[in-house]
Amino acid sequence: MPSIFRAAAAGTHPPDTMQTVKIYTTATCPYCIHAKQLLKQRGVTEINEIRVDLVPGERQNMMNIRGGRSVPQIFIGSTHVGGCDDLVALDGVGGLMPLLTSPMGV
């Protein structure tokens, strides 16, 4: 199990607020849409969405952070979750909610 899954699954009692969520997206990406839907289903009300297809230089910024071009790229607090498949897998092992509600973003 990747460390992000182990760390998130070890979460404790949820605090009153959720971690900030940042997601690099494009308008037509079905994986981006699915990731945002899943986050909203889990109670995330604010997503800092960065549209790499609209904002010049943001794809390069994303690539500098992650080293890849694919979207979505999802960050919860200071933790890079990965893409949509990673987010769904994290949720499937029960690690998404602890990560969203952890005081330090694990």
Side-chain angles (χ1 to χ4, degrees):
M1 180 183 291
S3 62
I4 178 70
F5 298 120
R6 283 194 306 274
T12 59
H13 301 287
D16 294 332
T17 60
M18 287 200 168
Q19 287 291 320
T20 57
V21 175
K22 178 170 66 171
I23 180 170
Y24 289 89
T25 68
T26 63
T28 59
C29 166
Y31 298 104
C32 300
I33 294 166
H34 181 66
K36 291 186 293 183
Q37 288 172 338
L38 177 57
L39 289 164
K40 288 177 183 174
Q41 289 171 358
R42 297 301 176 259
V44 176
T45 57
E46 293 184 33
I47 297 173
N48 178 10
E49 182 175 0
I50 301 167
R51 292 274 307 274
V52 300
D53 56 339
L54 292 180
V55 182
E58 284 302 332
R59 185 176 295 272
Q60 186 61 49
N61 288 342
M62 179 189 76
M63 290 169 43
N64 291 343
I65 294 169
R66 289 303 314 140
R69 297 183 53 86
S70 65
V71 291
Q73 290 298 319
I74 304 159
F75 294 83
I76 298 175
S78 60
T79 301
H80 177 247
V81 173
C84 183
D85 291 343
D86 300 309
L87 183 70
V88 170
L90 182 62
D91 188 50
V93 297
L96 179 56
M97 288 307 297
L99 183 61
L100 285 168
T101 58
S102 70
M104 299 297 272
V106 181

